Every structure is written in structure tokens, then in C-alpha cells.
Amino acid sequence: AGTTVYAQSSPHPQLEVMDSTRFIERMEEDADMRRRTKFINEIKKHPQFRPQMLEPPKKPWKDVKPGKGPVVITHQARETGLESKRPHQWGPLGGW
């Protein structure tokens, strides 16, 4: 007499789906991480590579903490920001 073995279904089929979904997500994350690492290593081989290229960009504005009031910056009205650090050396004036 032959015995037939039936696959036993688990009492919680939703858990199996969740576990397989987590497994697939983890596999995708691992593949993305390997792809990212390989790309960064290829970039590092380039002769014009600088480590600053991998740093996140700086914020264009400083963070202001609430409660300290407005940030007021003053400057001299005559300065445009284009002045040189050393004043021009003028020659003697008024003579030939």
C-alpha cells in the first residue's frame, strides 16, 4: 500500500508571505549596497577624484534656533564686497 504525503500548510500563511517579503527586501537592499560600493570604488580610481566629492552638500543657509531672536548682520554701506585686501599703491600725485 502506497502512502501519500501531503504538504502541510502552516497555520499562518500570512507570516510566510511577510517573511518572504522581508527576505526579498533585504536581498534588494544588499544588491543596492553592493552596486553603490562598486560605483564609489570606480569613482575613487579616477585621477581627478577628491574625497570632498563624496561628502553631502552643505546647507545654503545656517540653521537658526528659535527663541534667540532675528539674526542681524550689519555691513558698511560703502563696501561692496569687491574691495581688495590690500589698497592700491598710488604713485606721487600732482607732479610731472
Side-chain angles (χ1 to χ4, degrees), residues 47-66:
Q48 292 179 338
F49 171 75
R50 292 186 319 262
Q52 296 89 359
M53 294 177 175
L54 296 178
E55 293 176 2
K58 293 181 181 178
K59 294 181 180 179
W61 308 104
K62 290 183 180 178
D63 290 334
V64 178
K65 295 181 177 143

Side-chain angles (χ1 to χ4, degrees), residues 3-89:
T3 58
T4 308
V5 178
Y6 294 101
Q8 295 179 354
S9 62
S10 69
H12 303 289
Q14 290 179 344
L15 291 177
E16 290 180 10
V17 172
M18 288 174 48
D19 288 341
S20 63
T21 304
R22 286 187 200 136
F23 176 76
I24 292 172
E25 288 174 358
R26 196 175 71 226
M27 292 294 290
E28 288 175 353
E29 288 175 8
D30 290 345
D32 289 341
M33 183 63 75
R34 283 193 302 272
R35 194 177 301 121
R36 186 180 305 119
T37 304
K38 183 179 177 183
F39 177 71
I40 289 173
N41 289 337
E42 287 296 318
I43 288 175
K44 287 180 180 179
K45 292 178 186 177
H46 197 277
Q48 292 179 338
F49 171 75
R50 292 186 319 262
Q52 296 89 359
M53 294 177 175
L54 296 178
E55 293 176 2
K58 293 181 181 178
K59 294 181 180 179
W61 308 104
K62 290 183 180 178
D63 290 334
V64 178
K65 295 181 177 143
K68 291 195 170 190
V71 177
V72 179
I73 299 174
T74 60
H75 62 87
Q76 293 183 1
R78 290 182 291 173
E79 290 185 6
T80 62
L82 301 175
E83 293 82 14
S84 62
K85 300 210 184 292
R86 202 177 106 207
H88 182 70
Q89 299 295 322

